[in-house]
Amino acid sequence: MNNGNPNIVFNPLISCIQKVVLYETRTRLYLVGSNNRETRFRLLTIDRLAHNRLSIEENANEFNNLEIRRFVASLTGSPKVTSAYGVLGFVRFLEGYYLILVTKRKCCAFIGNHLVYTIKDTVMVRVNEVTSQRPPHPHEDRYKKMFQNIDLRSNFYFSYSYDLTRTLQYNESAPRFVGAKVDLDRDEPLPDWNTLTNNVAQINERVDYAFRSDSRKRFVWNAYLLQPMEGIMLKDWLLEVIHGFVSQSCISIFGRHVNVCLIARRSTRFAGTRFLKRGANFQGDVANEVETEQIVSDGQRLCAFTQMRGSIPSHWSQDISKMVPKPQIQVVISDPYAQTPSRHFERLLFHYGAPLIMLNLVKKRERRKHESIISKELEYSIRYLNQFLPPPHRMKHIHFDMARQSRLSGGNVMEQLAIYAESVIQLTNMFFKARGSDLSLQTGIVRTNCVDCLDRTNSAQFAIGKCALGHQLERLGFLKSAKLEFDSDCVTMLEHLYEEHGDTLALQYGGSQLVHRIKTYRKTAAWGSQGNDVMQTLSRYYSNTFSDTEKQHSINLFLGIYKPSLTKLTQPIWELQTDYDMHNDFVPSTDSKQITDWVRHKVRECLPYSCADSNKLVKELFRVHSNGLEMIDGYSNYHQSFKWTDLSEHIAFEISQLAMRFMPTFRTNYSPFQRQIQTSRKARQNPSMTGQSSTGSTNSNSSSSSEGDDSSSDEELSASFAEKESKQTESAEPAAITLASVLPSMEQVYGCSINPPSKQSMAIYKKYVQMGKLSSGGTRPAQTSVAQRDQELAKIMRGITLRPLSNYGTDSYLSVRPPTVATKSQDIYGEYCKTPRNFNAVPKFEEFDVLYRYVQKL
């Protein structure tokens, strides 16, 4: 985007701080950072004697291996050494600062030549030494434990070379603005890259630029922790992480591997737990906002589709003072001019373009108004705001009562969702980039919501993702038609990805795994899953009732929404009745623009394209004169040819093996797009799902999560599914299962079949058996007469004549008869003994006769 010249290439900067070693002394902390090859080093010095403040001194010089060894050797005493892979930042509660380091990581995905890591372990180091004798503040340890309730080992991801906070379409766009603070309305953009000459000698000469991306702070979960390091000149020290879900799988298309990566980014704005964060705040930030990107790649070409989920953008909540499974929904603040939804939708238009498609899955008809209350709020907001948008770019609203459709007799939810998904793909298109092909851009986004944005939303997002995958494979040339069949290897792989995706997001927001899964809405769920649904509902109810408040405190503390203070005016976070004021800073607008003018002029100019993608902002941009520099060498950063790597540990090999997981062992049709009989296989367990949310308390014993309350009545929905399954079971007679009905014949697979042996073959085999008996002494008992033994041996030897192939003589380990050597051989050996032994030197004149006679004997 913004660059149609294939000779101009923009390369993201690769972080030169990929390994960190911490040296702790009594007065100083020394952070030594190095590149992946450990050939270039940087140094940060932190003063530990500074009381209640952080003093960081950055050494502007770059050290080589020898210089950094000399520096480490010069440290007095025996410093404590900690190895790490990055600095997450610093945090302060009441007394002094703490340093947080990533000590373990695991590569979980790759996008092109960019590796994506998940955090596996961290360490928290006290920075300021306690110099006084007074006891520590009694609340310090409690704040520290509350902060550590955020499990950084679960669902936190980072990359040294790829901006995970941005979509692939944004990352592949050409820069238009450079700087930390840019006003898009007033500042001048960079020249048009299509007409730039670049001062090259030849017209088709390649020109490389390096840039440092400007991350989207909405998805940076350690932005507050990195604030004390903003003054550092070398920005490679700042390791930004996202929270959500990242997973990658693979399908084999007749030996050609195609990778499918799913990236879910959870927003830090208005973040929290299920019942404590509903609707939106005054800034237009909604609860449970997650951006999901589906990237398909065959190694050279990339294709991406983005969708999102989020709560209905209005001021509504549920009263949780009463312990009931479904608290009543109530609109807290009336918003007749839809100002809060307008801020939310304007931000979506800025980042994604038009059209905005709202897929609303809440109930339409209810005996007692519950979900329909907020559904009407959404419909009114869209209808009102659309009056002030140009007709081609107006928002579209799709209301689909998914719970009602599931309970109808024979209601097929997935078929209806597939129709909606196809229309969505046709309206928004998708991002596609390949050398020699036209660039395709996604304009607009589909936004899916229900009440909790968990169960129904995940199934609907899977339906959209399935349709998008068909179009992505069609665009890559692997399919003639974009339609994909259920129960094919390709769709099964995608279904497993979205199941893990839904379980992980449900754990983070709802406190348990999904209740109603994709198979539930497909009507293919097993009868035993009904018991699991009930357990997940109870687990979610327990988590929402007893542990959500503690989890919300941990999130507010981790994100810096609440900052502890020693002043009397600041109450401890656990004494606050509510955190409403923290998330809803209402500031009266001083802007003179009218309420009806809710979309900025700059955004209107770019529609239907994304204003953010068309005006990409980067922090640094400079030209490089070689694409082999380490700072932009993505090939070396991916393959890491400078070190030995076990093949089983390489991410590309590991993911390629996943294709075998979705293919039955015995089959005659190897197409991943044909419907197959799927055997019961154990699904790959998400390593991050340890039974509790990554934003949950370690003291909480709540296990997985679900959205039992999402559709109005879990019991009704589960009962309807159970009734239909029981009727289907009674009507269908179970067919007899045999090997012939389950497995293909040997002739179909190998082209041959097993037949009885011929008489000639049986005669040879019998002689072979007799030879075995003869060599082992037969099967006769030990106590038999000599006549019987001779008789049995004669019977065995009948028809068998054994002739020795070689004569080994009568030698044994007791005596050996020397071999007979011919006279000619003895003469040759005698002449050899007379020859000189120094063959490396030139022979003397008198030795020539002896050598000549020896050669003549040969």
Side-chain angles (χ1 to χ4, degrees), residues 223-371:
Y224 171 68
L225 307 180
L226 293 175
Q227 287 181 4
M229 302 179 67
E230 287 181 348
I232 293 177
M233 296 296 295
L234 183 63
K235 300 305 179 183
D236 288 348
W237 284 102
L238 308 180
L239 183 66
E240 297 177 331
V241 299
I242 67 168
H243 181 45
F245 174 77
V246 176
S247 185
Q248 192 167 15
S249 193
C250 178
I251 52 175
S252 177
I253 305 176
F254 298 103
R256 180 80 175 271
H257 286 167
V258 176
N259 297 314
V260 180
C261 183
L262 211 59
I263 302 176
R265 308 171 182 93
R266 180 172 291 280
S267 174
T268 60
R269 309 293 196 266
F270 207 52
T273 54
R274 182 184 174 205
F275 283 128
L276 298 179
K277 287 293 166 284
R278 293 295 209 187
N281 59 12
F282 287 108
Q283 287 73 38
D285 305 316
V286 298
N288 196 18
E289 181 179 4
V290 181
E291 178 187 86
T292 301
E293 185 177 16
Q294 181 176 303
I295 302 175
V296 178
S297 170
D298 64 347
Q300 298 176 348
R301 298 170 296 175
L302 295 168
C303 192
F305 178 78
T306 306
Q307 55 182 319
M308 67 171 296
R309 66 172 68 181
S311 186
I312 291 179
S314 60
H315 300 278
W316 63 277
S317 64
Q318 288 179 272
D319 184 14
I320 58 173
S321 59
K322 301 177 181 179
M323 294 181 60
V324 293
K326 288 175 51 180
Q328 181 62 33
I329 294 176
Q330 54 188 357
V331 177
V332 181
I333 298 176
S334 177
D335 191 1
Y337 299 108
Q339 290 179 278
T340 295
S342 68
R343 296 187 183 99
H344 176 70
F345 295 142
E346 199 265 350
R347 177 168 51 81
L348 298 187
L349 289 173
F350 174 80
H351 286 287
Y352 307 109
L356 298 182
I357 305 171
M358 317 300 168
L359 180 57
N360 186 11
L361 304 176
V362 300
K363 288 191 171 185
K364 287 183 179 180
R365 302 175 183 175
E366 294 176 301
R367 295 177 182 175
R368 180 173 60 92
K369 287 188 176 182
H370 183 67
E371 296 183 9

Side-chain angles (χ1 to χ4, degrees), residues 29-293:
L29 288 179
Y30 299 98
L31 279 172
V32 178
S34 69
N35 59 349
N36 212 359
R37 296 174 181 265
E38 297 186 14
T39 57
R40 299 159 52 208
F41 299 85
R42 292 282 186 163
L43 178 64
L44 290 181
T45 304
I46 305 173
D47 186 8
R48 306 191 76 176
L49 300 180
H51 183 63
N52 284 344
R53 64 185 180 89
L54 188 62
S55 175
I56 303 177
E57 180 183 349
E58 181 183 12
N59 195 317
N61 299 323
E62 185 175 284
F63 302 89
N64 58 27
N65 207 320
L66 180 60
E67 291 171 340
I68 203 67
R69 287 179 182 273
R70 288 176 179 173
F71 169 77
V72 173
S74 66
L75 298 179
T76 58
S78 300
K80 182 180 178 181
V81 182
T82 304
S83 298
Y85 294 100
V87 181
L88 288 181
F90 296 84
V91 65
R92 181 182 184 273
F93 305 121
L94 296 174
E95 295 181 343
Y97 283 84
Y98 296 88
L99 169 65
I100 306 167
L101 299 173
V102 178
T103 55
K104 289 183 181 179
R105 69 182 184 186
K106 186 180 185 304
C107 189
C108 60
F110 65 94
I111 304 170
N113 284 337
H114 307 284
L115 298 175
V116 181
Y117 296 91
T118 177
I119 298 176
K120 283 302 180 183
D121 202 5
T122 59
V123 66
M124 201 169 177
V125 180
R126 180 71 181 260
V127 175
N128 305 104
E129 282 290 324
V130 181
T131 55
S132 61
Q133 298 298 325
R134 63 183 180 86
H137 197 282
H139 292 167
E140 180 73 13
D141 285 342
R142 184 168 182 178
Y143 277 123
K144 183 179 178 182
K145 291 179 181 178
M146 186 178 293
F147 180 87
Q148 291 175 336
N149 283 342
I150 302 296
D151 189 3
L152 290 169
R153 300 168 299 177
S154 178
N155 310 124
F156 284 87
Y157 308 92
F158 66 91
S159 175
Y160 297 113
S161 59
Y162 185 81
D163 188 359
L164 288 174
T165 65
R166 301 283 189 176
T167 61
L168 179 65
Q169 179 168 306
Y170 182 92
N171 288 330
E172 292 294 329
S173 300
R176 295 291 289 164
F177 293 89
V178 181
K181 296 181 180 179
V182 174
D183 189 343
L184 297 182
D185 296 322
R186 294 189 177 94
D187 295 344
E188 284 292 326
L190 294 173
D192 188 1
W193 296 105
N194 296 328
T195 60
L196 201 62
T197 59
N198 294 293
N199 297 323
V200 293
Q202 300 177 0
I203 298 178
N204 295 327
E205 183 178 346
R206 171 171 170 164
V207 180
D208 285 275
Y209 287 89
F211 69 91
R212 187 183 303 279
S213 179
D214 181 46
S215 60
R216 192 176 174 188
K217 295 299 184 287
R218 175 175 294 272
F219 298 121
V220 180
W221 272 70
N222 62 332
Y224 171 68
L225 307 180
L226 293 175
Q227 287 181 4
M229 302 179 67
E230 287 181 348
I232 293 177
M233 296 296 295
L234 183 63
K235 300 305 179 183
D236 288 348
W237 284 102
L238 308 180
L239 183 66
E240 297 177 331
V241 299
I242 67 168
H243 181 45
F245 174 77
V246 176
S247 185
Q248 192 167 15
S249 193
C250 178
I251 52 175
S252 177
I253 305 176
F254 298 103
R256 180 80 175 271
H257 286 167
V258 176
N259 297 314
V260 180
C261 183
L262 211 59
I263 302 176
R265 308 171 182 93
R266 180 172 291 280
S267 174
T268 60
R269 309 293 196 266
F270 207 52
T273 54
R274 182 184 174 205
F275 283 128
L276 298 179
K277 287 293 166 284
R278 293 295 209 187
N281 59 12
F282 287 108
Q283 287 73 38
D285 305 316
V286 298
N288 196 18
E289 181 179 4
V290 181
E291 178 187 86
T292 301
E293 185 177 16

Side-chain angles (χ1 to χ4, degrees), residues 703-723:
S703 58
S704 34
S705 88
S706 72
E707 188 193 342
D709 226 14
D710 187 25
S711 60
S712 180
S713 173
D714 292 328
E715 293 78 6
E716 294 176 6
L717 187 58
S718 299
S720 64
F721 290 157
E723 183 180 355

